[in-house]
Amino acid sequence: MPIETSFVNTTPRLQGHVTDCHFHVFPQGIAPVAAARYAPGYGAPLEQWRRGAQSHGVTRGVLVQPSFLGSDNSFLLEMLRTAAGRLLGVAVVAPDIERAELEAMHGLGVRGVRLNLVGTRHRILAASQKLFAHIQSLYWHVELHTEPGRLLSVLQQLPSDLTLVLDHFGRPADSGELDLIVRGRQDRLFVKLSAPYRLHGLTPQALARRWSGLLGPDKLLWGSDWPCTAHEDRQQAAQDPAVLHDWLGDPNLASAVLGRNPDLLYGFPCAEEEGVRVLSR
């Protein structure tokens, strides 16, 4: 399916930086890993994302390794090299990756490791404990994508002091799970308000406001999920951060979710200069 090429600017211009904390780019014709559940038959170039982002006032982004490319992060790293500090990244790595390779990724702008457990038994390998130690020492985070209702069992397998980012509202099976999910992890838990089309039976408005109440608005992030793989018809709407006004019910929170919170977690190059105490240092 071809990528859409037209964008409508409906977003009010916000002060300061506006950060898309979750999008993907990939070349056309690349071979997916054998275990891929879905492989798009098109390419999603960085310039395509950038045009849509700019039309909505988005100035920075966090590039996330798509699951169908596995742990081959070469394209992601190439994009980060060209980004001049406007992009940071989240990689997918093998549990036994060497520390030196992680440090090289850090130098290019990687700030986290994604565990996409959808379609798996949601088991954390014992071999991952060494990787988690490296992640903590680099002040990175672990990004989790789970099937609805499976997040709590995954959290019970992870060190309690890891910084975690929950993809796509955390994808709970019901809102009652949220109290158990945050227990003991409030200081190191972030939630990405993204991909409402991946929720099942829950509304983004209800979840966004519930997460804000449990964690505080400073632990919320926004991501477009562009190019919305398997949901490509949502691309234009997905890139508009103005949707946060509806989800959160308070337009005053949007600037923090779009600007200050990503600085706190990822540590964009300008963050420390602007007096933000970042976690990724």
Side-chain angles (χ1 to χ4, degrees):
M1 180 178 295
I3 296 286
E4 296 174 353
T5 58
S6 62
F7 298 89
V8 178
N9 185 1
T10 60
T11 306
R13 291 291 172 173
L14 297 163
Q15 296 298 315
H17 291 292
V18 177
T19 310
D20 180 349
C21 292
H22 191 108
F23 76 99
H24 311 284
V25 297
F26 43 87
Q28 187 166 4
I30 194 166
V33 296
R37 304 182 316 278
Y38 171 83
Y42 57 84
L46 179 61
E47 185 55 35
Q48 190 81 56
W49 169 83
R50 185 179 286 120
R51 286 201 296 270
Q54 290 175 345
S55 74
H56 291 298
V58 175
T59 58
R60 305 182 305 196
V62 179
L63 179 57
V64 177
Q65 173 79 344
S67 60
F68 54 85
L69 295 185
S71 60
D72 180 0
N73 297 284
S74 55
F75 190 74
L76 179 143
L77 297 175
E78 180 184 345
M79 295 301 99
L80 294 182
R81 286 188 187 96
T82 70
R86 292 292 179 177
L87 293 183
L88 295 176
V90 175
V92 172
V93 303
D96 60 351
I97 188 171
E98 295 294 333
R99 167 73 184 222
E101 188 174 350
L102 295 174
E103 291 175 347
M105 289 183 179
H106 186 91
L108 291 173
V110 173
R111 295 294 182 267
V113 168
R114 191 184 198 208
L115 297 182
N116 187 339
L117 299 174
V118 175
T120 75
R121 298 176 64 189
H122 290 69
R123 298 283 179 84
I124 303 298
L125 298 176
S128 297
Q129 298 307 312
K130 183 178 180 180
L131 172 62
F132 295 150
H134 291 321
I135 288 171
Q136 289 173 300
S137 66
L138 288 166
Y139 298 96
W140 286 12
H141 64 274
V142 172
E143 183 174 312
L144 291 173
H145 185 202
T146 59
E147 293 174 1
R150 304 294 296 274
L151 178 59
L152 186 58
S153 66
V154 173
L155 293 179
Q156 292 168 347
Q157 303 173 62
L158 295 172
S160 61
D161 54 352
L162 273 179
T163 298
L164 302 176
V165 175
L166 309 183
D167 272 354
H168 310 327
F169 293 86
R171 302 190 70 189
D174 61 74
S175 59
E177 290 180 26
L178 273 57
D179 295 270
L180 296 174
I181 288 169
V182 303
R183 189 170 296 171
R185 291 185 180 266
Q186 289 91 332
D187 292 341
R188 289 279 172 175
L189 188 65
F190 290 78
V191 176
K192 238 180 246 180
L193 307 181
S194 60
Y197 38 82
R198 301 187 192 277
L199 300 176
H200 296 274
L202 298 170
T203 69
Q205 293 87 350
L207 283 177
R209 297 173 196 188
R210 182 69 175 137
W211 279 123
S212 181
L214 286 171
L215 295 174
D218 61 329
K219 294 299 195 299
L220 304 180
L221 307 162
W222 170 78
S224 68
D225 195 37
W226 190 89
C228 312
T229 53
H231 300 271
E232 284 83 359
D233 60 323
R234 310 295 184 94
Q235 287 172 9
Q236 286 196 26
Q239 282 199 288
D240 189 348
V243 70
L244 285 175
H245 298 163
D246 174 49
W247 290 353
L248 294 168
D250 183 350
N252 294 323
L253 298 180
S255 292
V257 173
L258 295 169
R260 184 186 181 280
N261 295 357
D263 276 343
L264 172 68
L265 175 64
Y266 300 101
F268 279 89
C270 62
E272 289 183 324
E273 297 172 9
E274 296 172 357
V276 177
R277 181 187 62 83
V278 302
L279 294 180
S280 58
R281 290 288 186 277

mmCIF file of all heavy atoms in Angstrom, residues 97-123:
data_model
loop_
_atom_site.group_PDB
_atom_site.id
_atom_site.type_symbol
_atom_site.label_atom_id
_atom_site.label_comp_id
_atom_site.label_asym_id
_atom_site.label_seq_id
_atom_site.Cartn_x
_atom_site.Cartn_y
_atom_site.Cartn_z
ATOM 1 N N ILE A 97 24.152 -8.984 23.240
ATOM 2 C CA ILE A 97 24.901 -7.936 22.551
ATOM 3 C C ILE A 97 26.029 -7.425 23.441
ATOM 4 O O ILE A 97 25.903 -7.340 24.670
ATOM 5 C CB ILE A 97 23.954 -6.779 22.148
ATOM 6 C CG1 ILE A 97 24.684 -5.765 21.255
ATOM 7 C CG2 ILE A 97 23.353 -6.110 23.366
ATOM 8 C CD1 ILE A 97 23.767 -4.716 20.653
ATOM 9 N N GLU A 98 27.156 -7.098 22.837
ATOM 10 C CA GLU A 98 28.309 -6.628 23.588
ATOM 11 C C GLU A 98 28.123 -5.175 24.022
ATOM 12 O O GLU A 98 27.517 -4.372 23.317
ATOM 13 C CB GLU A 98 29.580 -6.746 22.742
ATOM 14 C CG GLU A 98 29.972 -8.173 22.398
ATOM 15 C CD GLU A 98 30.372 -8.966 23.641
ATOM 16 O OE1 GLU A 98 30.839 -8.348 24.618
ATOM 17 O OE2 GLU A 98 30.230 -10.204 23.617
ATOM 18 N N ARG A 99 28.675 -4.858 25.177
ATOM 19 C CA ARG A 99 28.579 -3.502 25.716
ATOM 20 C C ARG A 99 29.132 -2.452 24.734
ATOM 21 O O ARG A 99 28.558 -1.370 24.574
ATOM 22 C CB ARG A 99 29.337 -3.444 27.042
ATOM 23 C CG ARG A 99 29.613 -2.051 27.603
ATOM 24 C CD ARG A 99 28.378 -1.400 28.148
ATOM 25 N NE ARG A 99 28.634 -0.042 28.604
ATOM 26 C CZ ARG A 99 28.152 0.464 29.716
ATOM 27 N NH1 ARG A 99 27.402 -0.278 30.505
ATOM 28 N NH2 ARG A 99 28.397 1.706 30.053
ATOM 29 N N ALA A 100 30.214 -2.768 24.067
ATOM 30 C CA ALA A 100 30.836 -1.814 23.141
ATOM 31 C C ALA A 100 29.887 -1.436 22.010
ATOM 32 O O ALA A 100 29.864 -0.277 21.564
ATOM 33 C CB ALA A 100 32.123 -2.389 22.577
ATOM 34 N N GLU A 101 29.090 -2.387 21.550
ATOM 35 C CA GLU A 101 28.131 -2.092 20.474
ATOM 36 C C GLU A 101 27.027 -1.169 20.973
ATOM 37 O O GLU A 101 26.586 -0.261 20.260
ATOM 38 C CB GLU A 101 27.548 -3.387 19.921
ATOM 39 C CG GLU A 101 26.692 -3.170 18.675
ATOM 40 C CD GLU A 101 26.241 -4.462 18.037
ATOM 41 O OE1 GLU A 101 26.743 -5.541 18.432
ATOM 42 O OE2 GLU A 101 25.393 -4.395 17.119
ATOM 43 N N LEU A 102 26.577 -1.385 22.203
ATOM 44 C CA LEU A 102 25.578 -0.498 22.787
ATOM 45 C C LEU A 102 26.127 0.917 22.942
ATOM 46 O O LEU A 102 25.428 1.907 22.685
ATOM 47 C CB LEU A 102 25.122 -1.038 24.146
ATOM 48 C CG LEU A 102 24.382 -2.371 24.126
ATOM 49 C CD1 LEU A 102 24.125 -2.849 25.552
ATOM 50 C CD2 LEU A 102 23.064 -2.262 23.362
ATOM 51 N N GLU A 103 27.382 1.030 23.361
ATOM 52 C CA GLU A 103 27.993 2.346 23.522
ATOM 53 C C GLU A 103 28.104 3.067 22.184
ATOM 54 O O GLU A 103 27.909 4.289 22.101
ATOM 55 C CB GLU A 103 29.365 2.214 24.177
ATOM 56 C CG GLU A 103 29.299 1.779 25.637
ATOM 57 C CD GLU A 103 30.663 1.532 26.245
ATOM 58 O OE1 GLU A 103 31.652 1.458 25.470
ATOM 59 O OE2 GLU A 103 30.745 1.419 27.483
ATOM 60 N N ALA A 104 28.414 2.309 21.126
ATOM 61 C CA ALA A 104 28.476 2.920 19.798
ATOM 62 C C ALA A 104 27.102 3.417 19.378
ATOM 63 O O ALA A 104 26.965 4.506 18.795
ATOM 64 C CB ALA A 104 29.016 1.914 18.787
ATOM 65 N N MET A 105 26.061 2.650 19.676
ATOM 66 C CA MET A 105 24.698 3.083 19.379
ATOM 67 C C MET A 105 24.336 4.340 20.167
ATOM 68 O O MET A 105 23.687 5.258 19.652
ATOM 69 C CB MET A 105 23.706 1.968 19.717
ATOM 70 C CG MET A 105 23.738 0.781 18.785
ATOM 71 S SD MET A 105 22.453 -0.417 19.270
ATOM 72 C CE MET A 105 22.694 -1.663 18.016
ATOM 73 N N HIS A 106 24.768 4.384 21.413
ATOM 74 C CA HIS A 106 24.498 5.559 22.245
ATOM 75 C C HIS A 106 25.093 6.812 21.606
ATOM 76 O O HIS A 106 24.457 7.875 21.579
ATOM 77 C CB HIS A 106 25.078 5.368 23.640
ATOM 78 C CG HIS A 106 24.719 6.461 24.600
ATOM 79 N ND1 HIS A 106 23.598 6.409 25.403
ATOM 80 C CD2 HIS A 106 25.308 7.650 24.860
ATOM 81 C CE1 HIS A 106 23.528 7.515 26.121
ATOM 82 N NE2 HIS A 106 24.559 8.282 25.814
ATOM 83 N N GLY A 107 26.296 6.674 21.080
ATOM 84 C CA GLY A 107 26.940 7.810 20.451
ATOM 85 C C GLY A 107 26.189 8.327 19.241
ATOM 86 O O GLY A 107 26.305 9.509 18.889
ATOM 87 N N LEU A 108 25.394 7.464 18.609
ATOM 88 C CA LEU A 108 24.606 7.874 17.444
ATOM 89 C C LEU A 108 23.216 8.357 17.819
ATOM 90 O O LEU A 108 22.483 8.849 16.952
ATOM 91 C CB LEU A 108 24.506 6.705 16.459
ATOM 92 C CG LEU A 108 25.809 6.317 15.761
ATOM 93 C CD1 LEU A 108 25.630 5.047 14.958
ATOM 94 C CD2 LEU A 108 26.291 7.450 14.862
ATOM 95 N N GLY A 109 22.838 8.177 19.097
ATOM 96 C CA GLY A 109 21.548 8.705 19.523
ATOM 97 C C GLY A 109 20.535 7.685 19.997
ATOM 98 O O GLY A 109 19.391 8.036 20.273
ATOM 99 N N VAL A 110 20.907 6.409 20.113
ATOM 100 C CA VAL A 110 19.982 5.407 20.660
ATOM 101 C C VAL A 110 19.864 5.625 22.161
ATOM 102 O O VAL A 110 20.860 5.824 22.854
ATOM 103 C CB VAL A 110 20.465 3.979 20.338
ATOM 104 C CG1 VAL A 110 19.594 2.941 21.048
ATOM 105 C CG2 VAL A 110 20.444 3.742 18.833
ATOM 106 N N ARG A 111 18.631 5.566 22.663
ATOM 107 C CA ARG A 111 18.388 5.810 24.082
ATOM 108 C C ARG A 111 17.521 4.732 24.743
ATOM 109 O O ARG A 111 17.126 4.864 25.901
ATOM 110 C CB ARG A 111 17.710 7.172 24.284
ATOM 111 C CG ARG A 111 18.588 8.363 23.887
ATOM 112 C CD ARG A 111 19.794 8.472 24.800
ATOM 113 N NE ARG A 111 20.637 9.621 24.473
ATOM 114 C CZ ARG A 111 21.686 9.582 23.664
ATOM 115 N NH1 ARG A 111 22.029 8.422 23.087
ATOM 116 N NH2 ARG A 111 22.397 10.658 23.427
ATOM 117 N N GLY A 112 17.237 3.664 24.012
ATOM 118 C CA GLY A 112 16.429 2.613 24.605
ATOM 119 C C GLY A 112 16.426 1.361 23.753
ATOM 120 O O GLY A 112 16.883 1.354 22.602
ATOM 121 N N VAL A 113 15.886 0.287 24.332
ATOM 122 C CA VAL A 113 15.757 -1.005 23.665
ATOM 123 C C VAL A 113 14.293 -1.416 23.712
ATOM 124 O O VAL A 113 13.643 -1.343 24.768
ATOM 125 C CB VAL A 113 16.626 -2.071 24.359
ATOM 126 C CG1 VAL A 113 16.275 -3.471 23.874
ATOM 127 C CG2 VAL A 113 18.104 -1.775 24.112
ATOM 128 N N ARG A 114 13.782 -1.821 22.575
ATOM 129 C CA ARG A 114 12.377 -2.223 22.510
ATOM 130 C C ARG A 114 12.236 -3.731 22.620
ATOM 131 O O ARG A 114 12.944 -4.502 21.955
ATOM 132 C CB ARG A 114 11.749 -1.760 21.194
ATOM 133 C CG ARG A 114 10.221 -1.901 21.183
ATOM 134 C CD ARG A 114 9.635 -1.541 19.845
ATOM 135 N NE ARG A 114 8.202 -1.275 19.945
ATOM 136 C CZ ARG A 114 7.330 -1.456 18.960
ATOM 137 N NH1 ARG A 114 7.747 -1.921 17.794
ATOM 138 N NH2 ARG A 114 6.055 -1.185 19.134
ATOM 139 N N LEU A 115 11.291 -4.156 23.467
ATOM 140 C CA LEU A 115 10.883 -5.555 23.549
ATOM 141 C C LEU A 115 9.465 -5.643 23.007
ATOM 142 O O LEU A 115 8.499 -5.257 23.677
ATOM 143 C CB LEU A 115 10.927 -6.053 24.995
ATOM 144 C CG LEU A 115 12.283 -6.078 25.697
ATOM 145 C CD1 LEU A 115 12.129 -6.638 27.109
ATOM 146 C CD2 LEU A 115 13.298 -6.895 24.913
ATOM 147 N N ASN A 116 9.334 -6.120 21.789
ATOM 148 C CA ASN A 116 8.017 -6.318 21.185
ATOM 149 C C ASN A 116 7.646 -7.780 21.400
ATOM 150 O O ASN A 116 8.168 -8.674 20.740
ATOM 151 C CB ASN A 116 8.052 -5.972 19.698
ATOM 152 C CG ASN A 116 6.665 -5.999 19.073
ATOM 153 O OD1 ASN A 116 5.746 -6.618 19.600
ATOM 154 N ND2 ASN A 116 6.517 -5.332 17.943
ATOM 155 N N LEU A 117 6.746 -8.002 22.339
ATOM 156 C CA LEU A 117 6.406 -9.366 22.743
ATOM 157 C C LEU A 117 5.103 -9.860 22.127
ATOM 158 O O LEU A 117 4.647 -10.965 22.447
ATOM 159 C CB LEU A 117 6.314 -9.432 24.271
ATOM 160 C CG LEU A 117 7.616 -9.067 24.998
ATOM 161 C CD1 LEU A 117 7.388 -9.008 26.504
ATOM 162 C CD2 LEU A 117 8.733 -10.029 24.659
ATOM 163 N N VAL A 118 4.497 -9.057 21.262
ATOM 164 C CA VAL A 118 3.260 -9.458 20.600
ATOM 165 C C VAL A 118 3.526 -10.700 19.751
ATOM 166 O O VAL A 118 4.517 -10.770 19.017
ATOM 167 C CB VAL A 118 2.708 -8.316 19.735
ATOM 168 C CG1 VAL A 118 1.483 -8.775 18.947
ATOM 169 C CG2 VAL A 118 2.351 -7.122 20.612
ATOM 170 N N GLY A 119 2.670 -11.696 19.888
ATOM 171 C CA GLY A 119 2.839 -12.933 19.142
ATOM 172 C C GLY A 119 3.794 -13.924 19.781
ATOM 173 O O GLY A 119 4.104 -14.958 19.180
ATOM 174 N N THR A 120 4.262 -13.614 21.000
ATOM 175 C CA THR A 120 5.168 -14.511 21.720
ATOM 176 C C THR A 120 4.502 -14.990 23.009
ATOM 177 O O THR A 120 3.374 -14.614 23.320
ATOM 178 C CB THR A 120 6.489 -13.803 22.077
ATOM 179 O OG1 THR A 120 6.256 -12.892 23.167
ATOM 180 C CG2 THR A 120 7.031 -13.032 20.873
ATOM 181 N N ARG A 121 5.230 -15.768 23.789
ATOM 182 C CA ARG A 121 4.702 -16.242 25.067
ATOM 183 C C ARG A 121 4.886 -15.216 26.184
ATOM 184 O O ARG A 121 4.554 -15.468 27.327
ATOM 185 C CB ARG A 121 5.398 -17.559 25.448
ATOM 186 C CG ARG A 121 5.157 -18.686 24.445
ATOM 187 C CD ARG A 121 5.951 -19.920 24.819
ATOM 188 N NE ARG A 121 5.521 -20.480 26.094
ATOM 189 C CZ ARG A 121 6.153 -21.457 26.739
ATOM 190 N NH1 ARG A 121 7.272 -21.954 26.220
ATOM 191 N NH2 ARG A 121 5.702 -21.917 27.879
ATOM 192 N N HIS A 122 5.418 -14.059 25.860
ATOM 193 C CA HIS A 122 5.628 -12.981 26.827
ATOM 194 C C HIS A 122 6.549 -13.416 27.969
ATOM 195 O O HIS A 122 6.350 -13.048 29.123
ATOM 196 C CB HIS A 122 4.288 -12.453 27.372
ATOM 197 C CG HIS A 122 3.494 -11.690 26.362
ATOM 198 N ND1 HIS A 122 2.903 -12.284 25.276
ATOM 199 C CD2 HIS A 122 3.211 -10.361 26.275
ATOM 200 C CE1 HIS A 122 2.284 -11.374 24.560
ATOM 201 N NE2 HIS A 122 2.460 -10.193 25.126
ATOM 202 N N ARG A 123 7.587 -14.161 27.595
ATOM 203 C CA ARG A 123 8.600 -14.586 28.558
ATOM 204 C C ARG A 123 9.868 -13.771 28.354
ATOM 205 O O ARG A 123 10.312 -13.569 27.222
ATOM 206 C CB ARG A 123 8.914 -16.072 28.390
ATOM 207 C CG ARG A 123 7.706 -16.983 28.636
ATOM 208 C CD ARG A 123 7.425 -17.125 30.116
ATOM 209 N NE ARG A 123 6.275 -17.972 30.364
ATOM 210 C CZ ARG A 123 6.324 -19.300 30.422
ATOM 211 N NH1 ARG A 123 7.483 -19.926 30.237
ATOM 212 N NH2 ARG A 123 5.243 -20.006 30.675
#
